[in-house]
Amino acid sequence: MEEVLAATIATSATLVLPLFMDGVERKVKAWVHSRIGPPVTQTLLDALKLLRKETRVFGSIPYYFYLSSTAAVLTALGVFSAYMYIATLNTAYVVYTLVFYLTSQATLALSYLIIPNPYSVIGGFREVFVSLVNEPFMVLGVVLYSVSFSSRPGLWGYVAAGFSFSAVLVASYVSSRRTPFDLSEAEPEIASGGFIELSGKALFLALYNLLLSRSLSQLIPLCLVAMAAGPGGPLAPLAYLASLAGVWALYGLASTLMGRARVDTALKSLVKLYLVLVAGAFVGLVV
């Protein structure tokens, strides 16, 4: 019961945290660029302004709201499952987290494809292709990491765990759609990616889904840290909530230091990197 309560509190906080952590990330980027930048509360203020704005109506807008709302609920359930795993180390919750993560990503990509604008559709298909490359390696990395701890003790087990954790960490970063993997908005003509036709509450929902999805993708590596650290007790979700804020800031700093990737080469390079990391994990498991 204590674990459920702590996971519920941490999940509730995580539903609000992105609106502030995005402001922190923007502050970090401004600091790197020697600028003052907007206040930390700017993302929250933008969200409140969008909620007051009129929503432009198009034919598929009811379906967009349905898909986006479904994606938000699935992501929230994934966050709760991740915190439950951190509190209990019950393997079933890792499976639930990955299932909710994959389904929420698919639902978000589908929501872009139903917007009646060619640039939005282009951005949506790019999201689909990034997911098709990234998500299988995310799942594979989690599986290899789990196997390395459960059946491969010793030096080579640590080698396998290191490579597989690196794969999950990269997949987590790519899932956050930060530079250089924000491919849905890689050219100036489609600078808004899948959001180009959205306004008002629809745009708020799209932006909130992006930020909430970042929280879930960043929690998955923290679940692996919890797996290595051992049982943390009922208060562990609250401790890892603080760690999530730190991971968010580090990802934001990393995105600031990276340039944009070419759309025609980014996924090829990503696949090559994953193959190297997965091969290293397999070597650690079989040697």
Side-chain angles (χ1 to χ4, degrees):
M1 185 62 185
E2 292 178 343
E3 291 83 356
V4 174
L5 179 60
T8 302
I9 294 173
T11 301
S12 301
T14 303
L15 296 179
V16 180
L17 180 69
L19 296 174
F20 294 96
M21 286 310 303
D22 187 61
V24 173
E25 181 174 338
R26 293 165 76 173
K27 271 292 188 183
V28 170
K29 291 181 178 179
W31 173 72
V32 172
H33 295 149
S34 299
R35 297 184 289 108
I36 296 177
V40 172
T41 56
Q42 187 61 53
T43 301
L44 176 61
L45 297 175
D46 292 342
L48 294 175
K49 181 175 69 175
L50 286 173
L51 289 173
R52 294 194 298 267
K53 292 286 186 180
E54 181 182 358
T55 302
R56 179 181 175 274
V57 178
F58 48 85
S60 57
I61 190 70
Y63 303 104
Y64 176 80
F65 272 112
Y66 173 76
L67 288 172
S68 294
S69 301
T70 301
V73 171
L74 290 171
T75 305
L77 290 172
V79 170
F80 177 77
S81 299
Y83 283 125
M84 282 300 296
Y85 174 76
I86 289 170
T88 64
L89 294 187
N90 185 336
T91 306
Y93 286 114
V94 172
V95 177
Y96 299 152
T97 300
L98 291 175
V99 169
F100 287 130
Y101 166 74
L102 294 174
T103 52
S104 65
Q105 292 295 307
T107 306
L108 278 178
L110 181 60
S111 70
Y112 298 147
L113 296 178
I114 66 171
I115 299 175
N117 184 292
Y119 295 123
S120 179
V121 173
I122 291 172
F125 273 113
R126 288 181 179 175
E127 292 289 332
V128 170
F129 290 135
V130 172
S131 295
L132 288 175
V133 170
N134 191 61
E135 317 313 349
F137 285 103
M138 167 81 85
V139 175
L140 182 59
V142 172
V143 171
L144 291 174
Y145 186 88
S146 302
V147 171
S148 67
F149 267 93
S150 61
S151 62
R152 188 65 171 167
L155 175 61
W156 287 107
Y158 288 116
V159 170
F163 276 104
S164 54
F165 182 82
S166 298
V168 173
L169 197 64
V170 171
S172 169
Y173 182 86
V174 174
S175 293
S176 70
R177 299 300 188 263
R178 290 179 171 91
T179 308
F181 295 102
D182 50 345
L183 299 184
S184 64
E185 47 187 89
E187 292 92 19
E189 292 81 8
I190 54 172
S192 298
F195 307 158
I196 197 166
E197 285 287 333
L198 303 178
S199 60
K201 295 179 178 63
L203 182 55
F204 162 78
L205 193 54
L207 294 173
Y208 181 71
N209 264 319
L210 173 63
L211 297 177
L212 187 59
S213 176
R214 286 180 177 178
S215 292
L216 178 55
S217 66
Q218 291 161 187
L219 270 172
I220 293 175
L222 291 179
C223 287
L224 303 190
V225 172
M227 187 184 300
L235 296 181
L238 302 180
Y240 280 86
L241 173 63
S243 301
L244 175 62
V247 173
W248 193 301
L250 289 175
Y251 278 21
L253 178 61
S255 70
T256 306
L257 302 177
M258 295 184 184
R260 284 200 180 276
R262 287 178 51 179
V263 174
D264 58 338
T265 61
L267 294 183
K268 295 178 182 178
S269 302
L270 187 61
V271 169
K272 293 176 182 177
L273 174 60
Y274 280 140
L275 290 177
V276 170
L277 295 175
V278 169
F282 272 112
V283 169
L285 289 174
V286 301
V287 171

